[in-house]
């Protein structure tokens, strides 16, 4: 079983938990997750993961890490990492994609994808960013950058480009959707501001009481 198959299996388990979590008990989620995982890692043509990879291409190391976090959340009921750190990691992925994909598709003469073929300066810059994230206690961002570098150094995925270890299109879409959902939930949780009319009505009885007491 290759790491590409394992990462894809984790992503498939996370997706099915997102769909079925509200319909099953915790025990049911665990059993169904185990079934999907075993089915996914079976060799071709019986396994689900080989078919998904053949149509959607491979997933990044980051997808596997966030899939494990999503699985833990759906089974345990809470995130292992604080939401602030997960929010920062998703924001980093979206900003990285907004810079990487347009330039790789020809919007500039520079080709950032070429930097992923073992460019020492690019790898050093990512490691420095990871160290800065550790100092700032952004542990999720640090883990993503360091894990992708280590997996790339060990040549664990089929791809030989560091970018394919860091991001993939499906991961970016998920991160953008998660940030939008997170923003909507934050806005919904904020108390609605009181209208001026309501403030005037609430202050009117107090003013009347003050007038009566002054008249006495």
């Amino acid at each position: 079983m290759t790491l590409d198959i394992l990462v894809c299996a984790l992503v498939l388990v996370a997706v099915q938990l997102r769909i079925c979590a509200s319909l099953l008990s915790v025990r049911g989620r665990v059993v169904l997750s185990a079934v999907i995982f075993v089915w996914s890692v079976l060799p071709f043509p019986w396994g689900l993961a080989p078919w998904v990879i053949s149509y959607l291409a491979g997933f990044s190391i980051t997808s596997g890490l966030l899939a494990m976090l999503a699985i833990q959340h759906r089974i345990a009921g809470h995130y292992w990492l604080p939401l602030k750190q997960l929010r920062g990691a998703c924001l980093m992925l979206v900003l990285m994609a907004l810079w990487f994909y347009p330039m790789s598709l020809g919007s500039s003469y520079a080709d950032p994808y070429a930097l992923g073929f073992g460019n020492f300066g690019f790898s050093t810059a990512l490691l420095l960013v990871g160290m800065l994230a550790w100092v700032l206690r952004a542990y999720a961002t640090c883990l993503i950058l360091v894990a992708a570098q280590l997996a790339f150094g060990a040549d664990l995925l089929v791809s030989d480009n560091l970018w394919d270890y860091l991001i993939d299109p499906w991961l970016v879409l998920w991160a953008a959707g998660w940030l939008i959902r997170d923003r909507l939930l934050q806005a919904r949780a904020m108390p609605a501001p009181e209208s001026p009319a309501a403030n005037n009505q609430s202050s009117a009885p107090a003013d009347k009481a003050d007038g009566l007491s002054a008249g006495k």
Side-chain angles (χ1 to χ4, degrees):
M1 180 176 60
T2 63
L3 187 60
D4 294 83
I5 297 296
L6 178 60
V7 171
C8 183
L10 291 173
V11 171
L12 292 175
V13 172
V15 170
Q16 67 85 16
L17 279 175
R18 180 65 181 89
I19 297 173
C20 304
S22 60
L23 305 176
L24 299 172
S25 63
V26 176
R27 184 177 180 181
R29 298 173 201 172
V30 173
V31 172
L32 182 58
S33 298
V35 171
I36 295 296
F37 182 82
V38 172
W39 180 24
S40 298
V41 299
L42 291 176
F44 186 83
W46 300 282
L48 184 61
W51 284 100
V52 173
I53 291 176
S54 65
Y55 284 100
L56 303 182
F59 295 93
S60 61
I61 295 295
T62 308
S63 292
L65 293 174
L66 293 181
M68 287 191 293
L69 184 64
I71 293 170
Q72 178 268 330
H73 167 62
R74 293 297 172 185
I75 292 178
H78 60 83
Y79 284 113
W80 174 68
L81 285 172
L83 282 178
K84 183 179 180 180
Q85 295 188 26
L86 180 58
R87 191 177 297 125
C90 289
L91 183 61
M92 178 199 69
L93 293 171
V94 171
L95 293 177
M96 189 182 297
L98 289 176
W99 173 76
F100 169 71
Y101 284 115
M103 294 185 67
S104 298
L105 294 175
S107 65
S108 172
Y109 289 108
D111 184 12
Y113 191 75
L115 298 175
F117 292 105
N119 184 279
F120 178 77
F122 178 58
S123 299
T124 303
L126 287 180
L127 286 176
L128 290 176
V129 173
M131 293 175 61
L132 178 62
W134 179 269
V135 172
L136 297 176
R137 297 184 179 181
Y139 300 121
T141 301
C142 177
L143 178 62
I144 287 171
L145 294 175
V146 173
Q149 291 265 40
L150 293 176
F152 173 70
D155 197 21
L156 296 180
L157 296 182
V158 174
S159 174
D160 57 352
N161 192 290
L162 179 56
W163 282 108
D164 295 325
Y165 287 74
L166 282 170
I167 58 175
D168 59 78
W170 310 108
L171 169 69
V172 174
L173 290 176
W174 175 86
W178 190 94
L179 287 173
I180 294 173
R181 176 180 175 272
D182 178 64
R183 182 58 183 170
L184 292 175
L185 291 176
Q186 285 183 330
R188 189 180 302 173
M190 293 177 60
E194 295 184 1
S195 62
N199 291 332
N200 293 335
Q201 290 178 0
S202 62
S203 62
D207 295 339
K208 185 181 293 184
D210 292 342
L212 292 176
S213 61
K216 291 179 181 180

